[in-house]
Amino acid sequence: MATSNTSRPKVVITRDLGPEVMPLLLSRADQDIDVVVWDQGKPCDRTWLLENVAGSSALVVLRTDKVDAELLNAAGPQLRVVSTMSVGYEHIDVHELAKRNIKLGHTPDVPTEAVADISVMLSLMAGRNARETMTIVNNGQWPEYNWAPFLFCGRQLSASKSSPTRVAGFIGFGRIARATLMRLVPFGITDCLYTSNPLSKPNPSRDSQIATDLHLRSVRRVDLQTLAEQSDVVFVLAPGGEETANIVNEEFLKKMKRSAVLVNASRGSLVDSDALVKALREGWIWGAGLDVVKGEPRIAADHPLVKEPRCIILPHIGSATIETLLEMATLAINNALMAIFDKDMPASLDLSAYSKK
Amino acid sequence: MATSNTSRPKVVITRDLGPEVMPLLLSRADQDIDVVVWDQGKPCDRTWLLENVAGSSALVVLRTDKVDAELLNAAGPQLRVVSTMSVGYEHIDVHELAKRNIKLGHTPDVPTEAVADISVMLSLMAGRNARETMTIVNNGQWPEYNWAPFLFCGRQLSASKSSPTRVAGFIGFGRIARATLMRLVPFGITDCLYTSNPLSKPNPSRDSQIATDLHLRSVRRVDLQTLAEQSDVVFVLAPGGEETANIVNEEFLKKMKRSAVLVNASRGSLVDSDALVKALREGWIWGAGLDVVKGEPRIAADHPLVKEPRCIILPHIGSATIETLLEMATLAINNALMAIFDKDMPASLDLSAYSKK
């Protein structure tokens, strides 16, 4: 696969992305491009990469690959584009890219639907005691339970005669939050509350448009306290980082309804794990569904959240669907190919803010 | 609580239904009714019931109580109503009720939303490997997994660029199926297929009305083979009984898409468990989500379905939400009270077909 013909632009890719996507590159190998693939089925070795990146025009990376000055120097001045198969780019030194006038491609928006699906799934699982009840069956304990009217009884996400109004609360109200909200409408959600970055401007006319489009009684930006107090389900779908660290803390959890559930499908840093353990143990809330946990993946079997039966924990699988990952892989490769042939990249980041001339 | 004043109609109830519902009866006890409650927190003892039912005007029962000629004889000719806190009435001899002109109340429709919620939850869980991935976290194995692009990868319920059309198939197309379909619309479901009792008349104009209302490309009644072949997710939501036994068998499962999931939230009898084990083991389908299993609750830890990692099994919790059960309990008591005071019962069954005069 690897050749060193200098007349063709060289593309280095740090993972074999499988038979459905790789032909996008490999079918052109030795024709209009050269292709070098790390095909070991494990994260790309740094030494190998530093060696093989030399002379490349495009570098396709994953979130496990650190792209820094050292790597860019090893690549050489002909490098035109770094394309990452990820939404975020914390692993990439954007200042170094901007300084060298190297383009950056990423894969925004693609995981929206997959993460919205997981958010709805977690809200249902947390309300309906999915973990406790599955464990009973899997351990062979079902026969020990005599049927009784309120056996295994959970909380209902859907509206009901006794709870005709249902309020969904969102910490962060970007694409994924709105895709989640859309999915909740036929469950009988009547009102939507959300909090946003305090520096962003309120947008009541957009909010009332969303309410109209989705046939909701209201979509309102509120403070955290109101969100906690009034929501039947709270979704944490905001960016990580210092500003949002522990935004769901003891104070927040204590204000939530005892019948409510908490879902986090964004970053573990937003939820104070100790506070959540307390909330579950003492019944401040009904349950929790987490796709992310602070300190992941180093979550041991005796982690206090793992020991809470009403806490559902998934190993960060929000975007992990075949459909979404193939689309991300395809987009990452196309970003690289378009850039080296001077065509418009389908999804590039504007780095002009980072270049200090 | 129990008195024997013969001037007041006596209500016998076979379970203490809890502090939110029982006041409906108990607040009237010794005023306009007498109330006798089995309050032992376990299924009502038959000997106790045969003794205490004597002289009653209303009998409120659960699906664990057998209502037959012996019990009705023990009650006496003044019994006016049997009210069951259940949708089904397999535990009640309706011929004996009809013969004696005793009314029958039940609680139809109430669990629709709760079961539709569970159906959506199971379809997501089966596609997204919820059981396998939760088990990895709960066993403390998450740290052992190096991140890789397709790690823990599942199938996406939502539409995507590579799968812009999504077909939901329903075996049985009653209230619960239609409530489930509604919930799937914002996931990007484009088409709905269903099968019905072959004796029922097709209703294409109703179907096209549903399609219009839900903005679907099509809602079509088809044969089982077409349903199996074309659906991305198959929901089994039909009545039990001989006509539907093993309707999902080897032949059906072999015709399903390898990427599809099967959900059963109706009765275990509709799915051939051995065939489903084979289908999961050999990859005929992606996964399964079951709220009911043939032979339940006698499902041991070494049951072959329990041993399939892509098979989610819940212990028949479809209607088990606080909201739904309180509504069912309230309706069961109101059915009894209305009948003894000669008012319209909110939900009674017409037994005229069973009375042979």
Side-chain angles (χ1 to χ4, degrees):
Chain A
M1 276 185 265
T3 77
S4 55
N5 185 319
T6 48
S7 70
R8 291 191 288 260
K10 172 176 162 183
V11 180
V12 176
I13 179 164
T14 63
R15 192 88 173 205
D16 180 342
L17 295 176
E20 304 206 46
V21 176
M22 290 306 279
L24 288 173
L25 283 179
L26 298 179
S27 66
R28 298 169 69 162
D30 306 332
Q31 295 183 22
D32 60 348
I33 53 174
D34 288 334
V35 181
V36 179
V37 186
W38 170 261
D39 57 6
Q40 302 288 301
K42 58 181 180 184
C44 183
D45 180 78
R46 178 79 176 178
T47 314
W48 178 92
L49 185 56
L50 285 168
E51 204 169 291
N52 282 272
V53 77
S56 62
S57 299
L59 175 58
V60 182
V61 299
L62 307 179
R63 66 183 208 196
T64 36
D65 303 306
K66 198 176 162 78
V67 178
D68 53 10
E70 183 192 32
L71 185 68
L72 299 173
N73 290 339
Q78 78 297 326
L79 184 65
R80 307 184 66 158
V81 60
V82 171
S83 172
T84 181
M85 181 184 153
S86 61
V87 180
Y89 42 94
E90 302 87 351
H91 51 301
I92 294 167
D93 188 331
V94 287
H95 298 280
E96 292 293 333
L97 256 60
K99 216 159 69 182
R100 289 167 170 82
N101 214 13
I102 297 170
K103 289 176 177 159
L104 176 56
H106 68 148
T107 57
D109 308 340
V110 185
T112 302
E113 309 305 323
V115 182
D117 284 7
I118 279 284
S119 300
V120 174
M121 181 180 105
L122 284 171
S123 68
L124 287 163
M125 288 176 72
R128 299 299 290 272
N129 312 332
R131 178 174 166 192
E132 279 176 285
T133 55
M134 277 173 68
T135 304
I136 285 167
V137 175
N138 294 345
N139 289 347
Q141 296 166 313
W142 193 359
E144 297 163 24
Y145 287 81
N146 279 319
W147 185 84
F150 289 83
L151 182 66
F152 304 136
C153 206
R155 281 288 171 178
Q156 188 163 317
L157 179 62
S158 285
S160 59
K161 248 188 201 163
S162 58
S163 302
T165 65
R166 305 296 286 162
V167 181
F170 295 89
I171 296 181
F173 200 51
R175 278 172 182 273
I176 297 174
R178 296 198 302 273
T180 303
L181 174 61
M182 268 184 55
R183 283 164 173 72
L184 296 176
V185 173
F187 288 84
I189 294 291
T190 49
D191 299 85
C192 165
L193 304 177
Y194 72 91
T195 64
S196 273
N197 183 335
L199 299 175
S200 74
K201 273 196 203 137
N203 195 343
S205 70
R206 192 241 358 214
D207 294 347
S208 69
Q209 189 60 54
I210 295 175
T212 305
D213 292 348
L214 298 181
H215 307 288
L216 297 172
R217 295 196 315 187
S218 71
V219 173
R220 283 189 302 135
R221 180 168 164 172
V222 295
D223 57 23
L224 272 172
Q225 174 166 343
T226 307
L227 186 95
E229 286 170 354
Q230 298 186 5
S231 300
D232 295 300
V233 48
V234 172
F235 295 93
V236 183
L237 291 166
E242 269 178 38
E243 288 91 32
T244 56
N246 292 327
I247 196 166
V248 174
N249 54 17
E250 272 202 28
E251 194 191 341
F252 184 92
L253 290 161
K254 269 189 182 149
K255 290 199 177 103
M256 281 179 69
K257 296 183 184 179
R258 293 174 73 91
S259 57
V261 300
L262 177 80
V263 172
N264 186 4
S266 52
R267 290 288 176 264
S269 60
L270 286 90
V271 174
D272 178 341
S273 293
D274 296 334
L276 181 56
V277 169
K278 239 181 176 173
L280 290 166
R281 203 171 284 165
E282 298 177 11
W284 305 350
I285 65 173
W286 181 266
L290 310 176
D291 188 40
V292 290
V293 187
K294 200 175 288 187
E296 70 181 57
R298 288 178 307 283
I299 303 298
D302 64 353
H303 188 290
L305 277 175
V306 174
K307 284 156 70 185
E308 281 305 311
R310 291 264 183 83
C311 189
I312 316 284
I313 310 180
L314 299 174
H316 204 150
I317 59 169
S319 60
T321 71
I322 292 173
E323 294 81 357
T324 288
L325 293 170
L326 288 179
E327 205 178 311
M328 288 173 79
T330 303
L331 181 53
I333 288 174
N334 282 334
N335 272 332
L337 290 174
M338 292 299 120
I340 53 178
F341 291 111
D342 264 333
K343 292 183 184 150
D344 282 343
M345 292 166 67
S348 62
L349 274 151
D350 180 6
L351 300 182
S352 55
Y354 299 105
S355 49
K356 297 161 197 157
K357 281 171 192 164
Chain B
M1 275 188 266
T3 75
S4 55
N5 185 321
T6 48
S7 68
R8 290 191 289 261
K10 172 175 163 183
V11 180
V12 175
I13 179 165
T14 63
R15 192 89 171 202
D16 180 342
L17 296 175
E20 304 207 45
V21 175
M22 290 305 280
L24 288 174
L25 282 180
L26 298 179
S27 67
R28 297 169 69 161
D30 305 332
Q31 295 183 22
D32 60 346
I33 53 173
D34 288 334
V35 181
V36 179
V37 187
W38 170 261
D39 57 5
Q40 303 286 301
K42 58 181 181 184
C44 183
D45 180 79
R46 177 80 177 177
T47 313
W48 179 91
L49 185 56
L50 284 168
E51 203 171 292
N52 282 273
V53 77
S56 63
S57 298
L59 175 59
V60 182
V61 298
L62 307 179
R63 66 184 208 198
T64 36
D65 303 305
K66 199 177 162 79
V67 178
D68 53 10
E70 183 193 31
L71 186 67
L72 299 173
N73 289 340
Q78 79 297 327
L79 184 66
R80 306 184 65 157
V81 60
V82 171
S83 173
T84 180
M85 182 185 152
S86 62
V87 180
Y89 42 93
E90 302 86 351
H91 51 301
I92 294 167
D93 188 332
V94 286
H95 297 280
E96 292 293 332
L97 256 60
K99 216 160 69 181
R100 289 167 169 81
N101 215 12
I102 297 170
K103 289 175 177 161
L104 176 57
H106 68 148
T107 59
D109 308 339
V110 184
T112 301
E113 309 304 325
V115 181
D117 284 6
I118 279 284
S119 299
V120 174
M121 181 180 106
L122 284 171
S123 68
L124 288 162
M125 289 176 73
R128 298 300 290 273
N129 311 331
R131 178 173 166 190
E132 279 176 285
T133 54
M134 279 173 67
T135 304
I136 285 167
V137 175
N138 294 346
N139 289 347
Q141 297 166 311
W142 192 0
E144 297 163 24
Y145 286 82
N146 279 319
W147 184 84
F150 290 84
L151 183 66
F152 304 137
C153 207
R155 282 289 171 176
Q156 189 163 315
L157 180 62
S158 284
S160 60
K161 249 188 198 160
S162 58
S163 302
T165 64
R166 305 296 286 161
V167 181
F170 295 89
I171 296 180
F173 200 51
R175 279 170 182 272
I176 296 173
R178 297 199 300 274
T180 302
L181 174 61
M182 268 184 56
R183 284 163 172 72
L184 296 176
V185 173
F187 288 83
I189 294 291
T190 48
D191 299 85
C192 164
L193 304 176
Y194 71 90
T195 63
S196 272
N197 183 335
L199 300 176
S200 74
K201 273 195 204 141
N203 195 343
S205 71
R206 191 241 0 213
D207 293 348
S208 69
Q209 188 59 53
I210 294 176
T212 306
D213 292 348
L214 298 181
H215 307 288
L216 297 172
R217 294 195 316 186
S218 71
V219 173
R220 283 189 301 136
R221 179 168 164 172
V222 295
D223 57 24
L224 272 172
Q225 173 165 343
T226 308
L227 187 95
E229 285 170 356
Q230 300 187 4
S231 300
D232 295 300
V233 49
V234 171
F235 293 92
V236 184
L237 290 166
E242 269 178 38
E243 289 90 32
T244 57
N246 292 326
I247 197 165
V248 174
N249 54 18
E250 273 203 27
E251 194 192 342
F252 184 93
L253 290 161
K254 270 191 181 147
K255 291 199 177 104
M256 281 179 69
K257 297 183 184 179
R258 292 173 73 91
S259 56
V261 300
L262 177 80
V263 171
N264 186 5
S266 52
R267 291 287 177 265
S269 60
L270 285 91
V271 175
D272 177 340
S273 294
D274 296 335
L276 182 56
V277 169
K278 237 180 176 172
L280 290 166
R281 204 170 282 167
E282 298 178 10
W284 306 348
I285 66 173
W286 180 267
L290 311 177
D291 188 40
V292 289
V293 188
K294 200 175 289 188
E296 70 181 55
R298 287 177 307 284
I299 304 297
D302 64 353
H303 188 288
L305 279 174
V306 174
K307 284 155 72 185
E308 282 306 310
R310 291 264 182 84
C311 189
I312 315 284
I313 311 180
L314 300 174
H316 204 152
I317 59 170
S319 59
T321 70
I322 292 172
E323 294 80 357
T324 288
L325 293 170
L326 288 179
E327 207 178 309
M328 288 173 78
T330 303
L331 181 53
I333 288 173
N334 283 334
N335 272 332
L337 290 174
M338 292 299 118
I340 54 179
F341 290 110
D342 263 332
K343 292 183 185 149
D344 282 343
M345 292 165 69
S348 62
L349 274 151
D350 180 5
L351 300 183
S352 54
Y354 299 104
S355 48
K356 298 164 195 152
K357 281 170 192 165

